[in-house]
Amino acid sequence: MILGFKYADRTDAAPVLARWMARAGQELLAPGAVLVPVPLHWTRLFGRRYNQSVLLAQALARGTGLGVAPDALRRLRRTPPQQSLTREERHDNVRGAFAVARPAVIGDRPVVLVDDVLTTGATAAACARALKAAGAPRVDLLTLARVSS
């Protein structure tokens, strides 16, 4: 189901998946927080036609009333897909790959970083570093699925 959502245009699943996420992460979805999806590089976005993390964040925003900032983070460079990389290679792969494009949206608000799948946490950690450097007092992660190792 998640692979269909991520790779096979099953974007209709976003509202249901976001409801699952909201239920599981309700303590993170505090008033005043801003939802920030993990960005795709523009070339990957062009090929896929949508960012599944943006769709989840937008559906979460509709269900919770929180603000969503789909363009707050930017992927600075195209990174190879993480699937075949080791834990260490994944962290190296995304080091310095993200920057906050709109710091004013973050301000001093807590951020809920939204992603679809968590494997090693390398992408989430790189995004959180950029958000914290831009002034976010707290960055929490809300993800649809976790890969068991």
Side-chain angles (χ1 to χ4, degrees):
M1 182 175 182
I2 293 170
L3 291 176
F5 171 64
K6 185 169 183 165
Y7 298 115
D9 293 333
R10 289 302 315 266
T11 59
D12 58 307
V16 170
L17 300 174
R19 281 195 297 274
W20 292 351
M21 292 172 74
R23 211 174 13 239
Q26 63 187 359
E27 68 280 357
L28 304 177
L29 302 171
V34 61
L35 301 166
V36 175
V38 171
L40 294 176
H41 189 267
W42 72 267
T43 57
R44 190 157 294 144
L45 179 60
F46 183 78
R48 193 175 293 167
R49 298 179 308 283
Y50 63 95
N51 178 338
Q52 66 281 359
S53 296
V54 169
L55 296 179
L56 290 170
Q58 290 170 333
L60 278 164
R62 282 190 296 279
T64 63
L66 292 178
V68 62
D71 57 351
L73 268 177
R74 188 167 68 95
R75 193 177 284 251
L76 300 175
R77 58 185 168 80
R78 184 179 177 147
T79 55
Q82 301 267 79
Q83 293 104 330
S84 63
L85 302 178
T86 67
R87 175 180 293 275
E88 184 177 313
E89 290 170 334
R90 286 172 184 240
H91 283 275
D92 289 342
N93 189 37
V94 294
R95 187 171 288 117
F98 301 96
V100 173
R102 296 184 49 216
V105 171
I106 304 304
D108 61 353
R109 299 164 67 188
V111 171
V112 178
L113 184 64
V114 178
D115 203 1
D116 57 348
V117 178
L118 178 73
T119 304
T120 63
T123 299
C127 289
R129 276 191 296 278
L131 290 161
K132 296 283 278 181
R138 190 180 85 233
V139 179
D140 292 307
L141 174 66
L142 185 55
T143 185
L144 175 60
R146 163 91 185 173
V147 175
S148 61
S149 44

